[in-house]
Amino acid sequence: MTEEEVLREFRAADALHEGHFIPSSGLRSPRYLQCARLLMDPARAERIARALATRILEKTRSQIDIVVSPAMGGVIIGHEMGRALGKPAVFVERPEGRFELRRGFRLDPAARVLMVEDVVTTGLSSREAIKAIGEAGGEVIAAASIVDRSGASADPGVPYTSLIPIDVPPYEADALPPELEAIPAIKPGSRAAA
């Protein structure tokens, strides 16, 4: 799937928005990609996951035992990646502010894990999820996301790939360009901004 084909999928799902947004990183953005809308159509979610799976090196794909994703944003793509790879898929969540496995999920000792999420902006959630996976006994051998908004600066500490890089400049709240200052900010994500 080419970058234009991926963007076409976002547009078809009405999942690419313009305005003034506060993503979970706490930074400000003139564009927001709503992956939940992108993935709400099961056929589209399957296409996206299969395309993302092809970006992972074959050698790495053959070593994956399980897919783990951070809740909430990564749950659907994690499940679809599990299906695309023929592997089980579970998720970590933050009941008390830090990621952990719950709901009876567990990892076999030294399970080789692909950590998948929807969007990476700073890489902080990726690193936090990877830490929780390690604490649960898994070994993250690769990470992937649908969208890389980091400008290729996110480093989860393992090989990382995305389906599409999106160059959306992030801004600190006190350093907004005039066009964003003039628009009320919206918090569209699944968790409060940092």
Side-chain angles (χ1 to χ4, degrees):
M1 190 176 276
T2 67
E3 288 184 18
E4 186 48 47
E5 289 170 329
V6 175
L7 287 173
R8 197 173 309 130
E9 295 279 8
F10 270 96
R11 289 184 191 107
D14 191 28
L16 179 58
H17 303 278
E18 304 284 333
H20 181 179
F21 303 99
I22 307 173
S24 60
S25 66
L27 299 172
R28 305 301 178 95
S29 175
R31 211 172 293 141
Y32 185 76
L33 298 145
Q34 183 51 270
C35 287
R37 284 198 55 83
L38 175 74
L39 300 172
M40 68 186 226
D41 174 348
R44 179 177 289 120
E46 182 179 16
R47 284 193 304 274
I48 294 294
R50 288 192 183 285
L52 181 55
T54 65
R55 300 284 174 99
I56 299 165
L57 295 175
E58 176 59 40
K59 179 181 175 190
T60 302
R61 282 197 313 260
S62 68
Q63 295 174 353
I64 295 167
D65 296 316
I66 190 167
V67 176
V68 180
S69 56
M72 274 299 297
V75 172
I76 296 172
I77 191 60
H79 181 267
E80 290 296 327
M81 285 296 287
R83 183 191 339 222
L85 297 169
K87 302 295 178 183
V90 300
F91 55 89
V92 292
E93 55 190 309
R94 300 177 197 260
E96 303 290 327
R98 40 175 279 157
F99 283 124
E100 61 183 81
L101 283 174
R102 296 180 46 153
R103 303 173 193 270
F105 294 151
R106 62 183 169 275
L107 300 175
D108 290 337
R112 293 167 299 189
V113 176
L114 170 66
M115 193 283 300
V116 179
E117 57 184 315
D118 56 353
V119 179
V120 170
T121 301
T122 65
L124 178 60
S125 289
S126 298
R127 290 187 300 276
E128 290 173 351
I130 289 169
K131 180 179 178 194
I133 293 163
E135 289 169 354
E139 176 194 356
V140 177
I141 61 170
S145 68
I146 301 169
V147 178
D148 178 0
R149 285 189 45 170
S150 76
S153 68
D155 179 10
V158 296
Y160 165 66
T161 191
S162 68
L163 190 54
I164 184 170
I166 301 283
D167 186 19
V168 180
Y171 300 99
E172 295 289 341
D174 60 356
L176 296 175
E179 61 272 16
L180 283 190
E181 272 185 0
I183 305 170
I186 298 169
K187 292 181 186 178
S190 62
R191 69 180 170 105

